[in-house]
Amino acid sequence: MRKQDVSRREFIKQSAGVAGFLAVLASPMATVLARDKASAGMPQEPADKKKRAWCMVIDLKKCDGCVTIGTVPQCTNACILGHYVPKGQQWIEVYEDDLPGGGKYFLPAPCYQCENAPCVNVCPVAATYHDKDGVVLIDHRRCIGCRLCMSACPYHRRFFNWGEPILPPEAAFAEYSPHYPVPAVKGTVIKCMFCSHLLPNGKLPFCVAGCPMKALYMGDLNEDIASNGKDVVQLSKFLSENDAFRYKEELGTKPRVYYLPGHGQTFGRTADDPRPFVPATWPWGGESGFVRPDGIFPWSETK
Amino acid sequence: MRSRAIESFQDRLERVSLAPLIHTQKTYYLFVFLLLATVAWGLYAYAIQLRYGLVTTGLGDQVMYGVYIVNFVFFIGISYAGALVSAILRLTNAGWRSPITRISEIIAVGGLTDGALQPIIDLGHPERAWHIIAYGRFQSPLLWDIIAITTYLVGSLLYLYLPLIPDLALARDRLGQSASGFKRKIFTVFAVGWQDTPDQRKRLNRAIGIMAIMIIPLAVSVHTVVAFIFSMTLRPGWNSTIYGVYFVIGAVFSGTAVLLIVIAIFRKVYHFEEYIKEKHFRNLGYMLLALLLLYLYLTFTEYLTGGYKMEEGEEQLLTLVMLGKNAPWFWFFVIAGMIVPAFLLIFSKLKTIPMVLIAAVLVVLGMWVKRYIIIVPTLEVPLMPFEFGSYSPTWVEISIGLATLAGFSVMVTLAAKFMPLVSVWELKEEAEKETHHKEEAEGQR
Amino acid sequence: MNSKWLLAATLSILLFAVSSAAVLAQEPPPPYAGVKNPFAWNDAGVLSAGKTVYEQFCGSCHGATGAGVSAFDFSSASYSKQLEAKPDSVFWALSEGRITKGMPPYKSTLSEEKRWQVITYIHSLGGAPSTPGPTPAATPPVENGSLTLSVPPAGQTGDPVTFTATLKDGQGKPRTGEKVKFLLLEDFFARGLVEAGEATTDGQGVAALEYIPRRPGEPEVVAWFGKLETRSRIAIADSGDVFYHTEAGIRMPAPGPEIWIGPESAFDLGPQGNAPNTALRLPGGMLSWLWLFVLVLIAVYVTYIVTLYQVLRISTVKGAGATNASLVPRMAILAMIGLGVMVVLMVITGPYSHFHLG
């Protein structure tokens, strides 16, 4: 594989002239090249340039859905606040699932960043793609909004900006990049991207940092290490010794999110604890999260 | 030697088939006006959708495809009428095809144009549609669709145009001053100097022969890749190997039904009774019955293979479709779209035309509903431990959906003003052949 | 751009100032103002009850010793003094939470008694030493022995290194059959001890662990036995090897390596992670299977053109007197060539989108 890679790169170098010829041949590509030059040269170089294989470990033994502290799931909340997530979308969403012998457990679900990602495979314009660290990104300047990726995702981890999202004014100050898709763009698909704007700078994703139970771990499969911001563990051992599983593993999507089975017992939550989790709230978003017309005529709209 | 009866048959044929090109009734204008008004209203609804985004539709993160994609599959399906029916009949040399090939090819082009528009209407960023050309990934089923539909649309246009050349020449030569200058120009340019010389005939027949063979694999490929958009996903119901075939058969099936309806209307309005006979309805009715049984068989195997194993998602889907929220739709499809038409077609000898027509209308409605049943309930099945999704179209979707239907009708209706609706030269050939046979038979006696 | 940043900075400074002033100036509101701890600060029963509550609810953020990585530090002596002086504001914070800082409210989860118990316990944390990482498991203590650790000075990622620890008892005799734990102090989002493995001492009291480092850096290696602990440093250089291989799909035997020819932006997403640009793509090299599709498409469009050529010939037949009779076929042939080229280009060009592979 590596060998192939090297020869590929050499080939690229050797055939620079051919590339030029082809660029002329494919006239639509000419505009692309021009635009590319314009957006090049952004100074933001990340501190960490290693090749990573980011993954997440979620210890369900520690996840009590934040019912024992009676708040909305703090991972979801931190994510919403950190990314100005449009109302109605939960990029990391806590699901309540049944245990086989009765009772419930909680399953926080970020984007699983599948290695064999169905969404990336079906995208017609490469608006969603893997970066070298294995994070599935979306370029909202490329996305045409066909939603094929949403229908392909077997985990329902993708959301669509159905209209112009109603966001606080601060969101407009954000410098958009596929690593930090803020503010959300109308008519495009959006999802969790492992906070890949924070990771190279040595900062944990919002959800991991925001989890009061420290149930979420960010890991690097390449360096075999993971951390929840408090403990650092050897990833492979941690996964094996805690019987880790991946959600719907039989689908062959190879998710990069591992779960350690449990139901929040570390914090004294019993399986038959009847308390439901508090649904997430958004400090913005008006009624439906998007600007929509008030009936048939456009002269009144709901914000 | 030609007998007088045939001469007059040919004169009458020319008169009847060219009449719609020069005489236009008031009801025609009214009809076209109504259709255009519907299209205009749909355009208004689309403008609202462009302004606010797809938030104006009833779609959501769970059920992200609705009426637009249902119409996409439906209208691409209808286009099969055309090319596939007429190409197969042409290749099998079924003589009775001649009066209906033109109409079926018009339906093909109209359905394809209309269907191909649907995914663009469904896009969140329609102004970026050119990204598919500039950044298209061949790995994506959507790109297969774009390539296949474009190629098939071009082929259908060509296949509509080729047999039209002699008829356009006829219109050019016969209509004279009775047609407007604009129309005369169109006829002249598009008739490419057709003089009915043997050389020209040879070349035309060669071209038509190539296209008749070409169009069949193209048509099959198109609906197969339309099915692939769905079956390449890990969704219950969609994740099925049968989908390619299922969609192709479903398309021919609904296409034949639409063809029956359209020829019945044109027959009535433009008095084609002499050419589009009861025989056509009977033959097409039998075709429809055969396709119906085939489709029923595929439907049965599709649900059985899913239902026997009862994966969690399949179980939820089947419950939803057969007993749950979508049950009325599903049973409408089964009873009104399959069983009733089957009986109507089996006993169609009693009163051929009305019974076949009612069956065709029911089949078209049933097949639209079937496409809805294919697309929406699967999306309503939850993929994660949460609630079932729900979908109900808004006025924007309904308006655009109606405009789509009106747009298709307008294309077919306007075609009647620019081309003879029956293939005059082919009918003449047929008539000559028949007389020839008769004369030969008489001579032998 | 500059003015935008300036505005953002001003706004955030303003926001920060306002919020911090509000927090500093705010005294606990009525139900909490002036409340006092009903327990004595050193009541042993209360302390142990408070410890249980603390471990269940607070430890995950604030750490076992009160010096949590991401939360408020309870381990300083000054905090204990502050707590003694103003127990009401701490009780308020505990009850109502500091949602904006990630501190949830506990008034519904913990009874008032339990809240005071945990505050009493937190008070006792002041001045406790803070040691990050897990506390060693309870192993039979060696009263007065020695543990020495020998670690090679340098290693490389992917190459095994051997950590050896020698365990001797108080008399200097080697201890046999004891389990020594090896850990590495790593800095990955947080500083913590990562277990490298365990080894059993042999007849000479030597426990040797072969360890394959995968993380470059200069971590401290720690050996543990009971309460004995020794540390040593190792420099691990980056060999550039990749240890985790991502696989997606079946690798079919191909006639050659995949060919990608295109602009730089097709192979580098850049720091922004922009969508990859289009490149010429031939999976399987020059003998790519993609040619099959290309050939089919070319065949289809050539057929169209041949068909239209027949039409063109119809229009140029002798006697076809009409002017510009061949306009339609000529234009159609041109359009068909254009369309065919476009479709073929769409097939053989496209962006690469699996940068995590290989």
Side-chain angles (χ1 to χ4, degrees), chain B residues 192-193 195 197 199-200 203, chain C residues 312-321:
Chain B
V192 291
Q195 300 295 337
T197 67
D199 186 36
Q200 284 180 325
R203 292 197 180 276
Chain C
L312 183 70
R313 289 295 299 272
I314 287 174
S315 69
T316 53
V317 148
K318 235 202 278 174

Side-chain angles (χ1 to χ4, degrees), chain A residues 6 20 64 122 156 213 241 263 293:
Chain A
V6 169
D64 60 354
V122 300
H156 190 260
M213 310 303 168
E241 287 179 355
H263 55 269

Side-chain angles (χ1 to χ4, degrees), chain C:
Chain C
M1 194 72 105
N2 263 338
S3 64
K4 192 171 156 189
W5 277 110
L6 205 70
L7 193 61
T10 324
L11 205 78
S12 53
I13 288 170
L14 210 71
L15 263 169
F16 179 74
V18 168
S19 59
S20 54
V23 169
L24 288 175
Q26 239 177 2
E27 286 293 313
Y32 302 106
V35 289
K36 291 255 152 51
N37 188 354
F39 305 113
W41 288 115
N42 53 4
D43 186 324
V46 174
L47 281 176
S48 77
K51 187 168 191 275
T52 319
V53 178
Y54 183 88
E55 279 168 358
Q56 189 177 342
F57 292 102
C58 319
S60 59
C61 287
H62 292 281
T65 59
V69 180
S70 62
F72 204 88
D73 190 356
F74 299 145
S75 62
S76 68
S78 66
Y79 183 74
S80 289
K81 286 207 184 84
Q82 207 183 313
L83 178 59
E84 239 175 281
K86 275 187 154 188
D88 54 346
S89 69
V90 176
F91 185 70
W92 173 44
L94 176 60
S95 306
E96 297 295 336
R98 289 279 184 269
I99 297 286
T100 51
K101 293 181 178 174
M103 165 81 184
Y106 283 96
K107 64 176 173 187
S108 57
T109 321
L110 298 173
S111 66
E112 203 171 318
E113 189 190 7
K114 279 195 169 158
R115 275 179 268 162
W116 280 118
Q117 284 169 348
V118 79
I119 288 174
T120 314
Y121 176 71
I122 288 169
H123 175 259
S124 76
L125 290 172
S130 66
T131 45
T135 40
T139 36
V142 180
E143 288 80 30
N144 41 9
S146 70
L147 183 67
T148 50
L149 174 66
S150 145
V151 164
Q156 197 179 210
T157 54
D159 292 343
V161 288
T162 311
F163 303 148
T164 36
T166 317
L167 181 66
K168 288 181 174 160
D169 64 8
Q171 283 79 46
K173 283 186 191 158
R175 293 193 55 169
T176 316
E178 299 285 6
K179 280 186 174 163
V180 178
K181 207 176 248 184
F182 295 90
L183 304 100
L184 279 104
L185 186 63
E186 292 280 14
D187 200 353
F188 183 77
F189 295 114
R191 223 172 139 68
L193 286 169
V194 182
E195 232 187 275
E198 235 176 14
T200 314
T201 53
D202 59 7
Q204 275 72 51
V206 176
L209 178 78
E210 195 178 76
Y211 177 71
I212 304 172
R214 280 166 60 165
R215 185 174 160 78
E218 285 185 28
E220 239 181 328
V221 184
V222 182
W224 264 353
F225 180 74
K227 283 189 175 165
L228 297 175
E229 182 195 301
T230 53
R231 294 184 177 224
S232 183
R233 215 170 254 286
I234 183 170
I236 295 162
D238 192 353
S239 65
D241 283 354
V242 177
F243 302 100
Y244 181 79
H245 292 285
T246 311
E247 290 289 334
I250 303 172
R251 208 167 287 285
M252 298 293 268
E258 188 159 354
I259 295 173
W260 284 93
I261 306 168
E264 187 63 27
S265 52
F267 307 102
D268 190 5
L269 302 177
Q272 296 254 303
N274 295 329
N277 209 337
T278 302
L280 174 83
R281 168 186 188 251
L282 292 175
M286 290 312 288
L287 293 171
S288 175
W289 50 263
L290 212 54
W291 292 124
L292 208 68
F293 288 85
V294 173
L295 283 178
V296 169
L297 279 171
I298 289 176
V300 170
Y301 279 91
V302 165
T303 312
Y304 287 171
I305 292 166
V306 167
T307 311
L308 281 167
Y309 175 72
Q310 300 297 330
V311 180
L312 183 70
R313 289 295 299 272
I314 287 174
S315 69
T316 53
V317 148
K318 235 202 278 174
T323 50
N324 58 29
S326 57
L327 179 73
V328 171
R330 273 179 211 282
M331 298 307 279
I333 287 174
L334 277 182
M336 222 52 90
I337 291 172
L339 206 60
V341 168
M342 189 192 88
V343 166
V344 167
L345 274 179
M346 273 167 80
V347 172
I348 60 170
T349 66
Y352 180 73
S353 51
H354 298 277
F355 289 85
H356 64 317
L357 297 175

